[in-house]
Every structure is written in structure tokens, then in C-alpha cells.
Amino acid sequence: MTAPRLGGYVLLAVAGVLVGGAGALVQAAWFPGGLLLALLAVAGLCYGGVKVMGARMGGGVPAGAWTVAVLLLTSTRPEGDFLFGAGLGSYAFLLGGMFIGVMCATLPLVPQPPGPPVRLGK
């Protein structure tokens, strides 16, 4: 693995953590639009990582970082503070984001057929 490729994966992991934190705040603030926006951000990051890196790991790295960040945000703190409330939106964000991350990370990469960019059979 080359240094630029490793750097790209590190940037995707950092972006996954940031999207997880921002999504945790937005999904509850502007329900249901915030939930949709947060899930679209996860999907855009994971699918964009697959396309930019040209490998499934490009979607798996931000999805894994997002999952770890969001699961750490669900735990209560010693002061009694917590970021997620017990509601349908929080569970939809957690499960929907994990589903989207897995879906993007396992998306098959279908290469274009070799040859000139014209219709086949012509």
C-alpha cells in the first residue's frame, strides 16, 4: 500500500468520524429532515469513498469509523449526559447508517468492458 493511498484511507476515516458526530446532532435537531440529511451524508461518504479509492475498502473504512464514533456517542457520560435520546429517530439513524455503510462497502465494482466507447454490435 502506497503512502498516498494510506493517507486517503486516513482522511476517509476522519471524515467518517466527523459525519457520525455531525449526523448525531443534526438527526435529532431537524427531525425528520435532519435524519434524512444525516443518512444521505453517510451514503455519500461511503459511496464516494468506493468511487475515489476504486476499492471496496474505500467504503468500509469510513463506514467502520462512523460506526465506532456513533457507538461511542451513544454511551452515557459520568455526568449523566448523553447525545442520543430514546426515540425512533435515533434508532433509525443508528441502524440505517450501519445498513448504508455495509451496503456501500459490499457494493460490487463492475468494470467497464474494454473497447471503444460506442454501442456494442454497431
Side-chain angles (χ1 to χ4, degrees), residues 9 27-28 47-48 50 52 80 82 86 89 91-92 98 112-113 115:
Y9 287 130
Q27 62 90 18
Y47 186 71
V50 169
V52 167
F82 57 92
Y91 292 116
M98 289 180 197
Q112 293 294 323

Side-chain angles (χ1 to χ4, degrees), residues 53-79:
M53 299 305 281
R56 291 180 183 161
M57 193 170 164
V61 168
W66 180 91
T67 302
V68 168
V70 170
L71 289 178
L72 288 176
L73 291 174
T74 60
S75 63
T76 58
R77 298 183 47 189
E79 296 87 13

